[in-house]
Amino acid sequence: MTAAPPPPPSVRVAAGTLLAVAVLLTASTVLTLVGRDTVVDQYLAAQPDLDRAAVTRSLVLGQVLYLVLGLLAGLAAVFLLRRRAWARWTGVAVGLFVALRTVLSSLDAGGTTISSLLVLVLCVAAVASLLARTTREWLPARAG
């Protein structure tokens, strides 16, 4: 039995950027949920006609989505390095979805932040690396 070839640079870049996205999304979620009351207060200060319970529910649901996406990005990174083809497509889906949400959020807010730019750049790098020919060729071909 021959040893698997080492991952090419495109796979290492994809795994690294997916892990970075996972860490950023998870950390952001935890910090936002810990400071939930402050975040809700800021929303209500900007738009006092909103219902506090509705704002809180919306915030928590949005953060749960980002937590799930962060966990999926982390799983995709780990299993990509274990040569699982499904991890490549999971990473592409997560990267595209997070990038699109980041762009739409920035447009809706009328501006961007350093952290959203970082997430966007990481997602673009992850997707580009996952779609690279060298990544595709390194993963085992499907049986049948």
Side-chain angles (χ1 to χ4, degrees):
M1 180 174 229
T2 61
S10 62
V11 172
R12 291 192 304 268
V13 167
T17 53
L18 284 171
L19 281 174
V21 167
V23 167
L24 286 171
L25 291 179
T26 304
S28 175
T29 296
V30 169
L31 291 173
T32 300
L33 291 176
V34 166
R36 175 177 60 230
D37 291 333
T38 303
V39 175
V40 170
D41 289 342
Q42 290 176 348
Y43 274 117
L44 293 174
Q47 297 182 10
D49 57 322
L50 296 177
D51 177 49
R52 183 175 192 82
V55 171
T56 302
R57 186 173 41 257
S58 176
L59 176 71
V60 170
L61 288 175
Q63 292 308 304
V64 167
L65 172 64
Y66 280 121
L67 180 61
V68 169
L69 291 168
L71 293 174
L72 284 173
L75 285 172
V78 169
F79 283 95
L80 178 68
L81 293 173
R82 294 182 182 176
R83 299 186 79 186
R84 302 295 194 270
W86 61 264
R88 177 177 176 233
W89 293 112
T90 300
V92 168
V94 168
L96 289 174
F97 186 77
V98 171
L100 181 62
R101 284 211 35 135
T102 302
V103 168
L104 292 176
S105 295
S106 295
L107 291 173
D108 188 44
T112 188
T113 63
I114 296 293
S115 62
S116 62
L117 284 175
L118 178 59
V119 167
L120 184 61
V121 168
L122 289 170
C123 287
V124 169
V127 170
S129 296
L130 288 165
L131 295 177
R133 178 186 49 80
T134 52
T135 300
R136 184 182 70 242
E137 291 174 352
W138 181 74
L139 291 169
R142 290 187 187 180

